[in-house]
Amino acid sequence: MNVNAVIRASLFFTISITLAELLNMQQPVLCVILGPAIISGHKFSLRVSSIFIARILGAVVLGTIIGEVFYSNQLFVVVFSALLLGCLLSFLKYPSKILAYTSPTFLYCFALINTTSGVFVENSVYELLQAVIFMLPIGWLIFHLFPTKSDQTNQHQITQEQPISERHKIFITGVISCALIAFLAFEITSAIFCLSVVINVALRSSIKRGKLVIASIIPVQITGCFVGVLFHVLMLGHSNNVVMFSVVLFIFTSVVNFFFFNKELRHKDIPNFEVGFLSAVLVPVTLYTHTTGFNIEPFVERAFNMACIWVILTILMFGILQIKNKSEPQRTIASA
């Protein structure tokens, strides 16, 4: 286990989120979204981080512009968004490349949905830039203070990927477009962060991997909400006590990262369980633990919304499997 990696990741998230609170950022959750791109590698890479940040910023700006320009025509918004996603997928060939656009796709939808709902998103662009300004130097410094050992830098496993089929790309576009329609048609912007789970499922390379993400909603997302409640209770709903906030945050992130960087203790059944769980806890904590006071209702509401997403996706997956099972015998007969 790389002890430096545990300390590095834990310190980075602790300092970044605490600093966001001290700067009175309205959306410290952006630190959770930006964090993995800066700190998850074996060394600090300004190039990799800059590319990811550029995608994030571009997605938010594009979603805001389209939402503003076509504010009164939601049908055109959905059609235009589907065309944009289709164009993006046409340039991507392998699953690993598509997964890199999970956060940008979500933030595009986030900006689009909020803009068409009358919520100003321009402040999110400003806070993204504000977060980048202090997170990049923090990441650079922490990598230099806690570097990865030289014998652990070249342990990437080279695996051959099967190209994504055109049929699968159409399916991805259809699922995300349907989710976008649902959020535009109904007043459910409070559950907008649940959309990230739908996008994460849709961008998977196979039905099997999509099922794993759906199966992880309860142990990762819903459990993460209730762990976030414990964090909220410890802080009595406030992040004013900076020392207490930082200590609790560092302890929690250290425990999760300890399991993630230990191959023997890492969760085997759910891929990247620890990474998903860390995000599932930190997202509601950074969204709902503020100076507004003690209130566990948003955590419970988020858990309920996640449960609804789990039910919908489970039913959808069941229907897809039924269609697939019925079509496979016909193909077998035709080929015979």
Side-chain angles (χ1 to χ4, degrees):
M1 182 186 69
N2 189 351
V3 177
N4 277 7
V6 176
I7 299 174
R8 187 169 64 223
S10 302
L11 270 179
F12 178 75
F13 278 105
T14 301
I15 295 173
S16 297
I17 294 173
T18 303
L19 191 55
E21 294 288 351
L22 288 173
L23 293 172
N24 293 320
M25 286 180 59
Q26 295 181 7
Q27 297 176 325
V29 67
L30 295 174
C31 295
V32 182
I33 296 174
L34 290 172
I38 299 173
I39 203 67
S40 59
H42 293 290
K43 63 179 181 179
F44 179 79
S45 175
L46 182 60
R47 176 180 172 274
V48 173
S49 299
S50 298
I51 291 173
F52 180 82
I53 291 166
R55 289 172 181 169
I56 290 288
L57 283 170
V60 175
V61 171
L62 185 61
T64 304
I65 292 174
I66 294 175
E68 289 284 359
V69 173
F70 305 107
Y71 182 83
S72 59
N73 194 337
Q74 293 187 348
L75 177 61
F76 188 84
V77 166
V78 174
V79 173
F80 194 78
S81 299
L83 290 174
L84 282 176
L85 182 57
C87 290
L88 172 64
L89 294 175
S90 67
F91 289 100
L92 303 175
K93 188 177 181 181
Y94 297 106
S96 59
K97 299 294 184 181
I98 294 178
L99 281 176
Y101 286 87
T102 303
S103 292
T105 303
F106 165 68
L107 287 175
Y108 167 82
C109 296
F110 171 85
L112 182 66
I113 294 166
N114 278 319
T115 301
T116 54
S117 300
V119 179
F120 292 103
V121 187
E122 288 79 358
N123 190 53
S124 297
V125 179
Y126 168 74
E127 292 206 339
L128 270 170
L129 292 172
Q130 187 180 10
V132 168
I133 289 172
F134 66 77
M135 289 180 74
L136 284 176
I138 291 172
W140 176 85
L141 178 62
I142 289 178
F143 265 105
H144 281 74
L145 293 176
F146 303 96
T148 301
K149 295 180 181 179
S150 58
D151 60 342
Q152 294 180 330
T153 56
N154 297 317
Q155 295 184 348
H156 298 287
Q157 294 181 351
I158 300 176
T159 57
Q160 291 185 341
E161 293 184 281
Q162 293 294 326
I164 297 288
S165 65
E166 293 301 319
R167 183 180 179 184
H168 194 171
K169 290 179 181 180
I170 294 173
F171 171 78
I172 291 173
T173 304
V175 171
I176 295 178
S177 297
C178 288
L180 190 57
I181 290 172
F183 276 87
L184 289 172
F186 304 101
E187 294 295 329
I188 50 176
T189 52
S190 60
I192 195 167
F193 277 87
C194 296
L195 182 59
S196 62
V197 178
V198 179
I199 293 172
N200 193 17
V201 173
L203 294 183
R204 293 293 156 170
S205 60
S206 65
I207 293 177
K208 181 180 179 181
R209 292 183 180 276
K211 284 180 65 178
L212 286 175
V213 177
I214 295 172
S216 71
I217 292 176
I218 294 177
V220 175
Q221 299 294 336
I222 296 178
T223 303
C225 291
F226 291 113
V227 173
V229 169
L230 296 178
F231 194 109
H232 192 73
V233 169
L234 285 174
M235 298 304 303
L236 296 178
H238 295 275
S239 55
N240 292 347
N241 190 336
V242 177
V243 176
M244 178 69 171
F245 184 80
S246 301
V247 169
V248 174
L249 192 58
F250 181 75
I251 291 174
F252 168 72
T253 53
S254 296
V255 171
V256 176
N257 285 314
F258 175 79
F259 280 87
F260 175 70
F261 287 105
N262 191 318
K263 292 183 178 179
E264 296 180 356
L265 298 177
R266 188 183 301 172
H267 202 287
K268 303 299 189 300
D269 297 329
I270 301 176
N272 295 323
F273 171 85
E274 291 78 12
V275 175
F277 186 71
L278 184 67
S279 176
V281 175
L282 293 183
V283 166
V285 166
T286 51
L287 282 174
Y288 311 132
T289 301
H290 292 302
T291 55
T292 51
F294 181 78
N295 184 15
I296 65 172
E297 183 180 345
F299 293 88
V300 177
E301 184 180 355
R302 176 181 168 86
F304 174 77
N305 292 333
M306 283 293 179
C308 292
I309 293 293
W310 175 78
V311 171
I312 294 170
L313 290 177
T314 300
I315 294 172
L316 178 63
M317 182 60 68
F318 177 78
I320 292 171
L321 289 174
Q322 290 295 320
I323 295 172
K324 182 183 177 183
N325 292 334
K326 289 181 180 179
S327 63
E328 283 183 349
Q330 293 178 357
R331 291 178 183 176
T332 305
I333 292 172
S335 62

